[in-house]
């Protein structure tokens, strides 16, 4: 699996599970950073 696919997978998991894990502020920041990385990889 390449880096782009791994990042997309992490983004999907955060988007779908951040409410469950509880720390939405940190996860929102991580999600934003990962999406920026994903855009650069395209």
């Amino acid at each position: 699996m390449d880096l782009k696919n791994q990042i997309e997978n992490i983004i999907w998991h955060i988007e779908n599970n951040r409410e469950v894990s509880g720390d939405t502020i940190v996860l929102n920041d991580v999600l934003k950073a990962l999406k920026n990385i994903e855009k650069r990889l395209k």
Side-chain angles (χ1 to χ4, degrees):
M1 185 181 292
D2 67 2
L3 181 60
K4 183 176 177 288
N5 287 341
Q6 290 175 340
I7 290 174
E8 288 172 350
N9 192 25
I10 293 168
I11 289 171
W12 183 89
H13 281 286
I14 291 173
E15 286 178 334
N16 289 287
N17 296 307
R18 63 184 156 186
E19 298 296 325
V20 175
S21 63
D23 194 354
T24 56
I25 294 170
V26 171
L27 287 176
N28 286 340
D29 290 342
V30 170
L31 182 60
K32 192 181 303 181
L34 286 169
K35 284 186 174 185
N36 288 336
I37 293 169
E38 178 188 32
K39 286 178 188 174
R40 291 185 202 145
L41 291 174
K42 289 184 178 181

